[in-house]
Amino acid sequence: MNKVASVSTSILHETEYVARLINYAVENQYSVAVWRLPNDPVRHLIISRKPQHLKRDAALEELEQGFIFAPFDRNNDTIYLPADYKFSFADGALKPAEDPVEATSYTWFEEQFTNTIAPHDAVKYHRIEQSTHHTVIPYIDLVKKSVHEIEKGTFEKVVPSRSKVIDLPLEFDIVYSFQNLCNAYPNALISFVSSPQTGSWLGATPEVLVSVEDKTIFRTVALAGTQPYNAGIDLKSVAWTQKEIEEQALVERYVISCFKKIRVREYDEYGPKTVVAGNLMHLKSDFTVDMKAINFPQLGSVMLQLLHPTSAVCGMPLEPALDFLYEHEGYNRQFYAGFLGPVNVANNINIFVNLRCMQLLDSKAILYAGAGVTVDSSPEKEWNETEIKFNTLLNVIRKA
Ligand SMILES: C=C(O[C@@H]1C=C(C(=O)O)C=C[C@H]1O)C(=O)O
């Protein structure tokens, strides 16, 4: 470890670093991403001076380490934040530098913030102009319309969503909210992304879209079906309705159809199993592929392009469901149900679907949630499902 890093490690708490770094990024019109992977004690922060736009077919495997943030709409570019500065934290303190970018970042921090004792300013974040008045049709009507289209045979499943505007609590603080989300949801990706182009987004998503471990193991999941989770429930005894089983099976079929398009047959499938995602439970199947065994080094990028948007957030078949959502949902999902995550950090790619997220505005925030609709859907139940999905963040933010 270099000399200067060890001085501040003994002085500053993680939250003090993170607060100063976010403020530095926002004041300089730079972008910042902070994240914590599921079941990992380490928190990471990167600052990016110049975000780049990636085309849909970009080879993620070839990028320098950074963070990607993509909107729901596939026609809009993915934003890539290369890591100009990078910090990692564990147990409330800065970790010893693990790569050259971290080593130079730690030295830079000491030079930049010589007065390490002074308390940090209130934490700022990038805000983009955003109307909070979404003129949408009532969600219950949207679900009824969805069921009607399914009955007509337009598609088998669709995932209509809605937004909810809340007043942020007066004492809202992004750094503490992030920490609280990490504590509350150990098996979610907790993320905060703030850039002049995208505004600021905070989330706790349970859904892996594409992960590639050590350029060798590819993973994705089929996640769907939702029930509230109460601590102490025995997961083995949880019962699912026919509707939920079918809804998840459709996502599984969708994932398999993507493998088929590229003639990959050598995938392992495990599940579906009941999993806990914060205040909720879902049905999940895991898919893995040994990329070395099939000699497919770019499987991650290729599958990302094929999978997004999956039928967990859009519908099946994809095109008519997407057309329906664009025509009837009545608002722009922006980065909700897009994807996000670190690329090539410690040799891994970890991309998640951007669910259970909110966009931060001045003193307000916009929450987003959707629910999978099949022919057996009850509109009131789907509305209720979106309410409990909002609660994943609300339960933590309101306590903050
Ligand atoms: C669409 C969302 O979640 C997705 C839809 C689910 C469902 O329909 O049961 C469950 C998990 C997610 O794949 C959301 O959280 O907004």
Side-chain angles (χ1 to χ4, degrees):
M1 206 197 313
N2 62 49
K3 183 176 103 309
V4 272
S6 62
V7 173
S8 60
T9 309
S10 62
I11 298 171
L12 285 185
H13 187 266
E14 168 182 348
T15 52
E16 294 284 321
Y17 277 100
V18 173
R20 282 170 171 77
L21 289 165
I22 293 176
N23 278 340
Y24 169 84
V26 174
E27 279 157 17
N28 289 285
Q29 293 297 306
Y30 297 156
S31 302
V32 59
V34 193
W35 73 94
R36 199 268 346 250
L37 292 174
N39 307 311
D40 185 351
V42 183
R43 266 93 60 146
H44 304 273
L45 180 150
I46 62 167
I47 291 177
S48 193
R49 284 190 292 261
K50 234 188 176 168
Q52 296 169 20
H53 287 244
L54 299 180
K55 292 286 161 223
R56 272 194 73 207
D57 59 356
L60 300 183
E61 296 78 5
E62 283 157 24
L63 298 173
E64 297 289 327
Q65 62 176 341
F67 193 95
I68 60 171
F69 195 49
F72 174 74
D73 188 339
R74 298 185 291 180
N75 298 316
N76 294 339
D77 291 347
T78 295
I79 311 283
Y80 162 54
L81 311 178
D84 292 316
Y85 297 114
K86 176 162 168 275
F87 298 80
S88 298
F89 306 92
D91 301 321
L94 193 63
K95 280 186 72 196
E98 269 169 14
D99 62 49
V101 178
E102 286 195 349
T104 50
S105 301
Y106 292 8
T107 310
W108 164 82
F109 185 91
E110 288 304 323
E111 288 161 7
Q112 184 74 27
F113 301 91
T114 42
N115 183 6
T116 49
I117 313 286
H120 64 76
D121 299 334
V123 183
K124 306 177 185 77
Y125 48 83
H126 292 292
R127 300 166 176 97
I128 50 172
E129 279 299 306
Q130 185 68 51
S131 164
T132 52
H133 300 286
H134 297 154
T135 46
V136 291
I137 68 166
Y139 190 70
I140 300 240
D141 292 344
L142 182 58
V143 175
K144 284 184 187 155
K145 215 179 195 34
S146 305
V147 174
H148 181 65
E149 288 301 323
I150 294 169
E151 282 166 348
K152 269 178 33 193
T154 312
F155 35 70
E156 275 184 88
K157 176 184 174 180
V158 70
V159 189
S161 70
R162 68 186 177 106
S163 62
K164 183 187 188 106
V165 180
I166 58 152
D167 287 323
L168 286 169
L170 280 179
E171 65 284 7
F172 177 79
D173 176 283
I174 189 66
V175 178
Y176 288 104
S177 297
F178 184 90
Q179 299 282 334
N180 291 341
L181 286 170
C182 288
N183 295 337
Y185 305 127
N187 57 3
L189 168 83
I190 310 298
S191 65
F192 171 64
V193 181
S194 187
S195 93
Q197 289 90 337
T198 65
S200 295
W201 293 73
L202 179 67
T205 176
E207 187 162 339
V208 170
L209 183 57
V210 161
S211 93
V212 180
E213 188 185 326
D214 217 6
K215 300 190 179 356
T216 307
I217 304 294
F218 167 90
R219 289 195 177 87
T220 189
V221 306
L223 189 82
T226 303
Q227 295 188 47
Y229 170 69
N230 297 311
I233 290 182
D234 175 12
L235 294 188
K236 287 198 227 61
S237 66
V238 172
W240 294 92
T241 63
Q242 187 66 22
K243 182 250 165 189
E244 290 154 337
I245 291 167
E246 276 172 11
E247 190 185 339
Q248 194 268 345
L250 283 171
V251 184
E252 248 179 76
R253 252 175 55 201
Y254 177 83
V255 172
I256 291 169
S257 76
C258 293
F259 282 130
K260 274 199 179 142
K261 279 189 189 147
I262 49 173
R263 298 197 169 76
V264 169
R265 289 176 206 86
E266 301 82 352
Y267 56 83
D268 286 321
E269 186 180 352
Y270 173 79
K273 292 266 177 222
T274 301
V275 293
V276 177
N279 56 328
L280 305 174
M281 295 182 293
H282 301 300
L283 273 172
K284 181 177 90 157
S285 303
D286 288 285
F287 294 87
T288 52
V289 180
D290 182 337
M291 292 159 49
K292 289 236 162 94
I294 62 166
N295 191 21
F296 202 149
Q298 294 204 332
L299 183 63
S301 296
V302 171
M303 278 299 277
L304 181 65
Q305 207 179 318
L306 291 172
L307 283 168
H308 175 71
T310 73
S311 37
V313 295
C314 181
M316 180 102 164
L318 176 68
E319 292 301 337
L322 197 53
D323 290 346
F324 175 85
L325 293 176
Y326 284 144
E327 190 174 343
H328 299 289
E329 214 167 35
Y331 80 109
N332 185 346
R333 291 185 176 196
Q334 301 194 57
F335 290 88
Y336 160 67
F339 56 83
L340 80 174
V343 288
N344 305 327
V345 172
N347 221 16
N348 297 328
I349 294 176
N350 284 295
I351 310 300
F352 291 72
V353 185
N354 194 13
L355 301 176
R356 323 292 145 82
C357 62
M358 66 188 206
Q359 183 178 12
L360 298 169
L361 309 176
D362 252 331
S363 57
K364 294 185 186 298
I366 309 177
L367 296 147
Y368 299 82
V373 171
T374 66
V375 74
D376 298 320
S377 280
S378 137
E380 288 73 21
K381 270 197 186 157
E382 304 299 0
W383 183 87
N384 196 41
E385 184 172 317
T386 54
E387 279 293 296
I388 59 176
K389 284 174 171 164
F390 291 141
N391 286 342
T392 303
L393 290 191
L394 283 179
N395 289 346
V396 175
I397 300 307
R398 293 217 164 123
K399 260 196 249 155

